[in-house]
Amino acid sequence: MTLPIGCAAPQFTAKDTHGNTVSLSDFTGKTVILYFYPKDDTPGCTRQAQSFKAAHEEYKGKDIVVLGVSRDNEESHKKFTEKYGLPFQLLADVDGKITKAYDVEKGDYAKRVTFVIDGTGKIIQVYEGENLKVDSHAQDILVTIV
């Protein structure tokens, strides 16, 4: 079962698109959109990433950080980021530790689930299943959390 609203978000450290080490604790005090997706450069995942790209300036203006997580490696993330000009970090969860910690593991992939984490590290919203529409996902989040 996916982690519930109100619980503490599991801490993690991972490499991003550019090989930088990123930890959830780096964003203390900010709202973090932590979105898990199955695979780079697939139709649904691409549309979801483009949704976040389109809303990037609005998120940035509200001091909200977007982090995408999949089981793909850094090189795959780099190609995906460059191909679509993604302005946010993608985290490589090659060993699956983050997907396991957030209980979104689905074999060798992550399920499509998004967590909104407040500045204190608490999960304040979860999007999955029918309430996650890849094309409008970023805007749907803005409507509910702002």
Side-chain angles (χ1 to χ4, degrees):
M1 183 169 165
T2 304
L3 297 177
I5 292 171
C7 80
Q11 292 295 318
F12 61 81
T13 300
K15 296 287 186 182
D16 74 0
T17 309
H18 306 289
N20 301 312
T21 300
V22 176
S23 298
L24 181 58
S25 60
D26 296 342
F27 306 103
T28 300
K30 295 185 177 196
T31 299
V32 174
I33 307 299
L34 184 66
Y35 85 95
F36 290 86
Y37 64 98
K39 190 134 183 71
D40 288 341
D41 210 10
T42 57
C45 297
T46 298
R47 291 194 329 266
Q48 185 176 18
Q50 288 173 323
S51 170
F52 281 113
K53 177 184 175 182
H56 180 71
E57 288 304 315
E58 198 168 350
Y59 276 104
K60 193 171 155 187
K62 296 180 185 317
D63 210 21
I64 298 172
V65 175
V66 174
L67 300 172
V69 181
S70 79
R71 301 279 310 267
D72 294 301
N73 63 30
E74 295 164 47
E75 184 60 31
S76 177
H77 282 341
K78 186 175 182 187
K79 288 177 184 174
F80 187 44
T81 296
E82 289 174 356
K83 183 175 181 178
Y84 295 101
L86 304 179
F88 49 86
Q89 294 171 301
L90 298 179
L91 305 181
D93 185 29
V94 178
D95 61 9
K97 287 182 180 176
I98 304 171
T99 55
K100 286 177 189 161
Y102 280 81
D103 200 20
V104 296
E105 187 178 31
K106 185 178 183 179
D108 291 336
Y109 300 98
K111 293 184 218 172
R112 191 180 311 279
V113 180
T114 299
F115 296 91
V116 180
I117 303 166
D118 72 9
T120 67
K122 185 174 80 175
I123 296 172
I124 59 171
Q125 188 69 327
V126 179
Y127 297 86
E128 62 184 323
E130 291 181 17
N131 74 349
L132 195 162
K133 295 171 180 53
V134 294
D135 294 311
S136 62
H137 189 46
Q139 284 300 320
D140 295 342
I141 291 171
L142 281 169
V143 168
T144 59
I145 68 166
V146 178

